[in-house]
Each structure stands twice: as structure tokens, then as C-alpha cells.
Amino acid sequence: MEREVRVRFAPSPTGPLHIGGVRTALYNYLFARRHGGKMILRIEDTDSQRFVPGAEEYINEALEWLGIGIDEGVREGGEYGPYKQSERRDIYRRYVKQLIDAGKAYYAFDTPGELEAKRAQVANFQYDASTRGGMRNSLAMPEQEVKALLDAGTPYVVRFLIEPGRDVVVDDLIRGKVVIKSDILDDKVLYKSADDLPTYHLANIVDDHLMLVSHVIRGEEWLPSAPLHVLLYEAFGWTDTMPSFVHLPLLLKPDGKGKLSKRDGDRLGFPVFPLEWRDPKSGNISSGYRESGYLPEAVVNFLALLGWNPGDDTEVMSMEELISKFSFEHCSKSGAKFAFEKGKWFNHTYLQAISDADLAELFKPVLLANGVNPADFSDDYISRAVGMVKSRINFVSELWGHARFFFVEPEAYEAKAVKKRWTAETPAIMAELIEVLKGLDDFSSKAAEPVVLGWIAENGYHLGNVMNAFRLAVVGECKGPHMFDISELIGCDATVARIAKAIERIRISE
Ligand code: GLU
């Protein structure tokens, strides 16, 4: 029988979720939805030293913003909780004991100092079959002594007994069969009595087993721990329900080789976190996609294609389309360059698909931030203004630079254009233009354009100079959408007033 698809995203709350982690969460989500399965969010907080306040809330908020839905988790609940590892100590204790009782794990009393000394003394020291006999552990010491140490409450760790000479096979759905010799693995610490907590390895596989995880989908950096996890599944006798492994390709620097890092973002100017993050210790702020003006749909689409493709060259896909097309067959083994410029392109593309009315709503806070009260303008006015310039922007914030003249009169006039287009005759011609405009019954673009162009032609005026002077007066510079569309929206009175002001101002400045 086919197993129910159950996947988990298992972040450690050690800081803001990195964009690579977001991609991992996304691929888990797409796969779960594609197969009608469940997505679990498990918080792996067994390393109290690295715990960062606010990180868990950040993870929830980021996933929510991106529309990555969770079926079971700390907030959502579920039948297999608790979903936070620090609340599962009793469970781990039981499983650690089970391994010890079965002779598959053992107590080790070596102090950090002793281990340090060993490493200094033996090059490439590894705690394994070849060395454990000479260390202080329950395999090398008399039973009585072990018991005495335990009774006395001596701190210990529990180590996993790795048998040498085995080929460990990790069946990875992207990489195929990865075979590793057990000799290269060390007797990993599974539990530390000092803080009564398991290490990542034990907690991770016990939880995957108990939560009936069918596919472990995670970043490539976890590939080296996969053989150990396979051996742990064996040691517990759970091989029948061992999950399939999927190790996603690395995210690489946009410009060259090597893993994407926060520094690349700082250097090249793009966020590596989904949301802005304020470090609770240093107070340092790291930029986020949300605060930088990205739409969540654009970020999702961009990330989905970093390591996967739909089998053809389709690029723009909604979450639903991604779900319907997602499979590991089209995931690549090799790293994916973090082409952040492409991310901007996706944002541009998604902004074009938004209705002018919705875009206007997104633009209102930007207006406010620039000292314009959106309530002074009708929704229809703001919509039409953004509709005229949206093809030029990658981010909502950029609307201001392209549309400000719809909301405030020009205070200055582009010097280069003045020099080129505002000649000695211009004031008189502009005064005539005012009369032509005032005489129009219909100020719409369609009606105004032929009348104004006809007047220019009749008088033998220079079309480029007149139209650019007109634009300069209304916009302040010689760019922007179609001139008569602008004047239609601004209206006759405001257009005329701006021309009059320019006649006065530009003359004064000469
Ligand atoms: N807690 C690990 C992390 O932070 C989970 C790795 C895994 O998915 O097994 O990435």
C-alpha cells in the first residue's frame, strides 16, 4: 500500500529563517500538497545554547506571509505532538534507554578536557571502533565502575555504537543511491546527561519515526548525517518505515562559486531573509523580502525555480500551478545560483498582474510616507495614476518616483530639459496653449490631443519643443506616460495652473 505522504519542516530556532530554509519549507509544502499529504512544522530546539528569542515567531510569520500552510505544529496542534522538541524529553529518554539496553549505544564519561587532550595527541582522532577501547566508556570499563559512576551522578553522554565495515546506503530521491562506508562515521553523541537532552540526531529520527514522516526533505548540508540516520532507523528496527530522503541542491552565490551567504546579500544588495530581522542581542537589522517590497507570490515563484523546473520553460506559476507540477524528478543535484535579479523580474511580473485598484491600495502607505495624504485623492484617481506607470516598476515603492507629479506640482524643472526646450518664445506659446486648453469642452486625452496638435501645426510651431515644454511644466521633467493621458487625469484647472506657474518660474530663473 502507498504510504500517506507526511513531510516535516524542522527548523532550529537559532535566528531568522534563511532564504534557503524558506525554499526547503516551500518544497516540503509543494510535495505534501501535490500528494494530498500533510505538512508538519517541528521546532528543533534541543540546543539551548543556540536558542534565539523571537526566532520561532519569525518562522511562523514568514511561512504565513508566503502562504506555506502548516497542517500540524506547535500552533496548529495534531495527533503526534508535542511539536517542539524541548517538550519531548521523556520520549527521547525512553528511546535512548532502549538503545542502551539493546547494546546499540553506550555510556561515555570522557570529560571535554580528556577529549581535547586526545585530539591534541592523535591526529584526526575519531571516537570509533578503533579508539573507543582506550576511552572511558561502558564498553571499555568494568560494569561495577560504570554503575558506580552513574550512581554518583557523574555527567555522561550516550554514544551510538557504529559497527565498522558496513556499506550504508542512503536512498535519495534526487541523488540516487549514496553509499558511505560506516568506518568513516564516529560514535555520535545521542544524549547528554548534563542538560538531559538528546542531540539533533536522536531527536530528529525519533520524531520522524513517531510523526510517521514519509519523506525527509532538507538542505544538502544535512546529507552527511543521513547515513547515521539510516543506521539509527536500523538500530531501532524501524527500517520498514524509514522515510525517503531528499537532499535539495545548495543555493549558490549569484556571482561565482560557493554557498550563498548573508554577506553576498549585503555586498550585492538583496535580502537573504524573508522578513526583516532585528537581532535581539546586537540590535542589528537585516533586510527582508517583505519589507523590501516583494510580493509573497513573487518570492514563492522565484524560490520554486531555484533547483527545480516544471519540465518545460514555464516560469510564471501560481502556488496552485506549482503544486500541480512539482516533482523531485525535475530537481537538480547541482547547486542553484541565487539569481536575485530574476527575483526582481518576478516581482515586476506579479505587480503587472495586480489590478490598478489593488495596486493603489499598496501605494497609499508610500504616498503617506512621502507627505501626501491619500484621502485628498479619490481611489479612482490613485488607481488611474498607478495604472499609467506600473509597467516601469519592480517595486511598489518605485511608483512614487514615476507618479509623484500626479500628487504634487513640480517644485523644480529638470535643468537640462529647460535648456534644450524652453526658448525665448516658449512663454508666449505656453500662454497660448493655456487658452487652447481652456477652450476645450472635452478635456479627455482623445479629444484634447487632436486639438492641441492641430493648433501646433497651424502655427508652424516645433512639435517637439512645444510638447516637451508642456510636459516640463506639468511633470517637471521630460519623461512619463502619454502627455494627454496625464493632463486628462490631472484635469484642466490643475494643468493650466501648472503651465502658468512654469511660465512664471522658468522666466524668473533665467
Ligand atoms: N533542525 C535541522 C535544521 O535546522 C533540521 C534538519 C533536518 O531537516 O533534518 O535544519
Side-chain angles (χ1 to χ4, degrees), residues 8 10-12 44 200 204 218 222:
R8 87 300 193 270
S12 302
E44 300 209 321
Y200 155 73
N204 189 267
R218 58 186 175 187
W222 299 98

Short mmCIF file of all heavy atoms in Angstrom, two decimals, residues 8 10-12 44 200 204 218 222, ligand 1:
data_model
loop_
_atom_site.label_atom_id
_atom_site.label_comp_id
_atom_site.label_asym_id
_atom_site.label_seq_id
_atom_site.Cartn_x
_atom_site.Cartn_y
_atom_site.Cartn_z
N ARG A 8 7.95 17.01 6.94
CA ARG A 8 8.12 17.98 8.03
C ARG A 8 9.15 19.00 7.66
O ARG A 8 10.13 18.73 6.97
CB ARG A 8 8.46 17.25 9.33
CG ARG A 8 9.93 16.96 9.61
CD ARG A 8 10.60 16.10 8.57
NE ARG A 8 11.89 15.60 8.98
CZ ARG A 8 13.07 16.19 8.80
NH1 ARG A 8 13.13 17.35 8.20
NH2 ARG A 8 14.18 15.63 9.22
N ALA A 10 11.69 21.25 9.74
CA ALA A 10 12.17 21.10 11.12
C ALA A 10 13.26 22.11 11.46
O ALA A 10 14.39 21.75 11.74
CB ALA A 10 12.67 19.67 11.32
N PRO A 11 12.93 23.38 11.46
CA PRO A 11 13.97 24.38 11.71
C PRO A 11 14.38 24.44 13.18
O PRO A 11 13.59 24.08 14.06
CB PRO A 11 13.29 25.69 11.32
CG PRO A 11 11.84 25.46 11.58
CD PRO A 11 11.60 24.00 11.26
N SER A 12 15.60 24.87 13.40
CA SER A 12 16.08 25.14 14.75
C SER A 12 15.94 26.65 14.97
O SER A 12 16.38 27.43 14.12
CB SER A 12 17.53 24.73 14.89
OG SER A 12 17.64 23.35 14.57
N GLU A 44 12.94 22.36 16.33
CA GLU A 44 14.05 21.57 16.88
C GLU A 44 14.91 22.46 17.77
O GLU A 44 15.91 23.04 17.34
CB GLU A 44 14.85 20.95 15.73
CG GLU A 44 13.96 20.03 14.89
CD GLU A 44 14.69 18.89 14.22
OE1 GLU A 44 15.82 19.08 13.74
OE2 GLU A 44 14.10 17.78 14.16
N TYR A 200 20.67 16.56 18.20
CA TYR A 200 19.86 16.66 16.99
C TYR A 200 19.56 15.29 16.37
O TYR A 200 18.42 14.99 16.03
CB TYR A 200 20.59 17.57 15.98
CG TYR A 200 20.23 17.31 14.55
CD1 TYR A 200 19.00 17.70 14.06
CD2 TYR A 200 21.11 16.65 13.69
CE1 TYR A 200 18.64 17.44 12.75
CE2 TYR A 200 20.77 16.41 12.38
CZ TYR A 200 19.54 16.80 11.91
OH TYR A 200 19.19 16.54 10.62
N ASN A 204 15.82 14.02 16.06
CA ASN A 204 15.34 14.13 14.69
C ASN A 204 14.75 12.81 14.18
O ASN A 204 13.64 12.78 13.64
CB ASN A 204 16.53 14.58 13.84
CG ASN A 204 16.16 14.94 12.42
OD1 ASN A 204 16.23 14.11 11.54
ND2 ASN A 204 15.77 16.19 12.20
N ARG A 218 15.26 18.09 2.91
CA ARG A 218 16.04 19.10 3.63
C ARG A 218 17.24 19.53 2.79
O ARG A 218 17.51 18.98 1.74
CB ARG A 218 16.49 18.55 4.98
CG ARG A 218 17.30 17.29 4.85
CD ARG A 218 17.62 16.70 6.21
NE ARG A 218 18.30 15.42 6.06
CZ ARG A 218 18.57 14.60 7.06
NH1 ARG A 218 18.22 14.91 8.28
NH2 ARG A 218 19.19 13.47 6.82
N TRP A 222 22.71 18.65 5.12
CA TRP A 222 22.36 17.56 6.02
C TRP A 222 22.68 16.19 5.45
O TRP A 222 22.49 15.17 6.12
CB TRP A 222 20.89 17.64 6.44
CG TRP A 222 20.61 18.91 7.15
CD1 TRP A 222 20.08 20.06 6.62
CD2 TRP A 222 20.93 19.21 8.52
NE1 TRP A 222 20.04 21.05 7.58
CE2 TRP A 222 20.56 20.56 8.75
CE3 TRP A 222 21.50 18.48 9.55
CZ2 TRP A 222 20.73 21.18 9.98
CZ3 TRP A 222 21.67 19.11 10.78
CH2 TRP A 222 21.29 20.44 10.98
N1 GLU B 1 16.92 21.23 12.72
C1 GLU B 1 17.58 20.99 11.49
C2 GLU B 1 17.76 22.34 10.82
O1 GLU B 1 17.75 23.31 11.49
C3 GLU B 1 16.75 20.04 10.68
C4 GLU B 1 17.43 19.33 9.57
C5 GLU B 1 16.51 18.27 9.03
O2 GLU B 1 15.56 18.64 8.34
O3 GLU B 1 16.69 17.10 9.36
O4 GLU B 1 17.90 22.49 9.64
#
